[in-house]
Amino acid sequence: MADLTAFTSADHPVRKWRKVKDKIIESILFLAALSSVFVTIGIIYILVSESLPFFQHVSFKEFVTEKEWTPMFSEAKFGILPLVVGTFMATLIALTVAIPLGTITAAYLSEYVKPNVREMLKPILEMLAAVPSVVYGYFALLFVTPILQKFLPELGGFSVLSAGIVMGIMIIPYISSLSEDAMRSVPTHLREASAALGSSKFQTTFRVVFPSAFSGISSAYILGISRALGETMVVAIAAGMQPNLSLNPLEPASTITAYIVQVSLGDLPHGSIGFQSIYVAGLTLLIMTLIFNVLGMWIKVRFQEKE
Amino acid sequence: MEQIYKAPPECQTKFTFGSGRDFLRAKVSDLSFRYNPEDRRVLNKVSLPVFDKKITALIGPSGCGKTTLLRCFNRMHDLYNATSYEGDIVLYPEGKNILSSEIDPMEVRMRIGMVFQKPNPFPKTIYENVAYGLKVRGIKKKSFIDEKIEKSLVQAGLWSEVKDRLQAQATALSGGQQQRLCIARALATDPQILLLDEPTSALDPISTAHIEELIVEIKDDVTIVIVTHNLHQAARCADYTSFMYMGDLIEYGPSEQIFTKPQDKRTENYITGRFG
Ligand SMILES: Nc1ncnc2c1ncn2[C@@H]1O[C@H](COP(=O)(O)OP(=O)(O)O)[C@@H](O)[C@H]1O
Ligand SMILES: [Mg+2]
């Protein structure tokens, strides 16, 4: 026990040791925080430094305007557009599935279901997120595609549509779980205020709870978008790995991530242009994800200001 | 579409109890209530009349069941499972028991408005807050909504303060302004009865005085049932007062009588500050 009868002087060993202890703890925390910053900087450094030689062979103009991406062909073409468009298409289809279903699921779990049923349903839903994405890939290829072919006979074996839908199912739990937390943290007194004005439960949920929770829900959507942009296996397996500048979801395509695994699986010599193209593709994806996150952050701040 | 449940100008049913001059708006008979089947009754066979265009105050020590009784009037308890009512609250002039299982609680709440103890505006604009009740009733005509918003904000004594910033966020208003906004929000739907649960307990004395004044003013248009901790408030505003104690309604009468010549010892003890 410290002696509490007198105040210590500034040079008292107890005081000195206290100061040193504080400094040590502060340094440890600082280093921990710094390490993640270093990793990020390291990743960016590698991506950029490996990408620079690529642009000595290929002009930036060709990179953004060329309509074909065929680094493996003898007459190689390096237009990133097919991969960017494929990535966007797959993400868009995934979000068309995941945002409505994820939001409705969240609203149901947060507002409608009794607590004991909710505790039962949530682990089942979270299992969707625990399934390895390779499994989802084959689920798309062997289960969803054949079903889609019943309705769309012109659909081939590989398509962005099938990959996108399954990717959407895969990210439902990410969206629903965060959205549900946001909705549940809306105070009860707002629900009561709404009910007291004669609202139905549905009106209360979508006119009061949803907008009040929107800043949290938008974080869930941003996470969903990031997951979809970065998802690899489902598209690699089910979308056909054929870079294809087309807005038709029934056609096969490739995405940036799918291209990266495709090339990484082969044995390209280090320093070859094909090898460098992986880094360029990765850098492009990083920039795309960054733009989305900044956009999302901006939307979120706009909404928080209004509250 | 534009139809709103309007209180009729005069209620038809004459009440035989009490002064005999006032018209009956609602009648509570033998109302008992439980939050849970296993728990004790929080209200024991409570009976009281609610007169049209009058202020009825519910007073009594903390935990005696005032809020619980008030929330029976708009079936608020139906939002939670396991709650159960016995007895009636008959609403006049329809003469329907609004606690009956055949009545949709939502339709009750369309007719009976409520203001809560803590101001609870929606995180929306001032305009959207007052328009909310109209919008959930399916009203879309902007001119009608605008007119209604102005009228209810005037009634709630808030119009002059907010008329230039209806698009500002309601949560940026002061506590007293927020509570008046909540009153305007309830008034916009033309309730037959307005329930107020200690509407000034979270406010400073000036805001409290402001709200008391406006409550007395709006009683020309709407019947009011108010729960209050503040006995002076009840004595100043209420036409009728009922004293509750541990889930029982001990005494009901014109406020003057309750505050000057209480019949029951427990009422007397309470209003003279001997307990509670
Ligand atoms: N949600 C609830 N569940 C169970 N018991 C409750 C609940 N709300 C209030 N009670 C109990 O009901 C009694 C009356 O409470 P209340 O009506 O809030 O009293 P008052 O408004 O007069 O202070 C109290 O004993 C309280 O503990
Ligand atoms: Mg209370």
Side-chain angles (χ1 to χ4, degrees), chain B residues 67 117 197-198:
Chain B
T67 299
Q117 192 164 356
D197 188 1
E198 304 198 36

Side-chain angles (χ1 to χ4, degrees), chain A residues 192 194 197 203 207 306, chain B residues 71 80 124 132 137 169:
Chain A
E192 291 198 344
S194 171
L197 286 160
Q203 288 170 324
R207 288 172 185 252
K306 280 175 78 183
Chain B
R71 288 163 66 98
Y80 304 97
K124 298 173 184 281
Y132 185 84
R137 283 161 177 73
Q169 285 298 305

Side-chain angles (χ1 to χ4, degrees), chain B residues 89-110:
Chain B
I89 298 181
V90 176
L91 194 65
Y92 296 101
E94 296 93 331
K96 286 253 166 64
N97 173 19
I98 55 174
L99 296 185
S100 145
S101 54
E102 279 155 37
I103 300 269
D104 183 350
M106 220 172 92
E107 289 177 18
V108 176
R109 293 181 208 125
M110 291 228 178

